[in-house]
Amino acid sequence: MKLYHGSNIIVDNPKILQTDRRLDFGMGFYLTSSYKQAERWSLLTVKRRAKGSPVITSFDFDEKMLSSLKVIKFDSPSAEWLKFVSNNRNIKEFMDDSDLVIGPVANDKTMPVIRLYFSGIYDEAETVKRLLPQKLKDQYAFKSEKALKALTLSEVFEIGK
């Protein structure tokens, strides 16, 4: 399976980096099966960091390795997905022992709804109901060195060149 990583640099040796940002699935190396989503991530990264240029690095993911990994998979926004994202975004010390987490992206379009959930205005059912029609793109968070071994560098796309 082909997966894409959008950044402001070429990432030919994926790593799990420490970050102060609280991400949907916690610390990890994030990819998506959507080229367009990776392109958006690359443009956002350049804007956020104010350096580099938009780059998409593609990887082949050896799905045969899934059976040897501890995987958490969310097929769509659900109460379980919402709790997991909420824990990762709101609890600094939240940790899970997964190697790989797969599921929908809580993106700019979803964040107003999710913020209303965080503030207690929407309950889980209402939040999920409002998120389901949004056709969210996927994300793959590779959270361990073991999981990273399932990736092989495939190709690099420099946006705008």
Side-chain angles (χ1 to χ4, degrees):
M1 165 188 261
K2 186 82 63 192
L3 296 175
Y4 304 95
H5 177 79
S7 187
N8 64 330
I9 60 170
I10 296 170
V11 179
D12 53 6
N13 185 22
K15 293 182 175 82
I16 300 165
L17 303 175
Q18 298 291 327
T19 179
D20 290 341
R21 290 181 56 224
R22 296 192 188 150
L23 305 171
D24 291 353
F25 298 154
M27 281 192 316
F29 181 67
Y30 281 73
L31 298 109
T32 179
S33 65
S34 167
Y35 182 92
K36 283 286 187 201
Q37 178 72 25
E39 185 175 45
R40 283 206 337 256
W41 285 346
S42 70
L43 295 167
L44 278 170
T45 302
V46 169
K47 186 177 179 180
R48 186 182 301 124
R49 295 185 180 157
K51 63 180 179 180
S53 57
V55 177
I56 297 172
T57 310
S58 71
F59 294 87
D60 292 318
F61 172 45
D62 183 358
E63 293 177 273
K64 290 181 228 142
M65 289 187 66
L66 279 172
S67 62
S68 68
L69 300 174
K70 181 167 183 188
V71 179
I72 299 173
K73 185 173 185 201
F74 303 101
D75 293 317
S76 63
S78 63
E80 293 77 22
W81 171 83
L82 189 58
K83 286 178 199 169
F84 193 79
V85 169
S86 180
N87 287 338
N88 278 297
R89 286 187 172 253
N90 294 315
I91 302 172
K92 189 174 184 174
E93 296 81 27
F94 181 75
M95 298 289 284
D96 68 271
D97 63 349
S98 63
D99 296 305
L100 174 62
V101 181
I102 304 166
V105 175
N107 62 22
D108 294 341
K109 292 179 184 176
T110 62
M111 284 316 294
V113 173
I114 291 174
R115 280 191 195 99
L116 291 170
Y117 168 73
F118 289 164
S119 65
I121 294 169
Y122 290 162
D123 63 11
E124 287 172 7
E126 183 64 25
T127 304
V128 170
K129 181 175 93 174
R130 290 175 179 267
L131 292 174
L132 282 172
Q134 294 196 26
K135 297 191 181 5
L136 303 178
K137 300 293 186 197
D138 62 18
Q139 61 186 336
Y140 290 68
F142 288 76
K143 298 173 59 98
S144 70
E145 293 301 319
K146 184 178 179 181
L148 288 176
K149 288 182 182 358
L151 298 173
T152 305
L153 179 66
S154 175
E155 202 171 349
V156 174
F157 306 92
E158 296 184 53
I159 308 303
K161 289 189 179 183

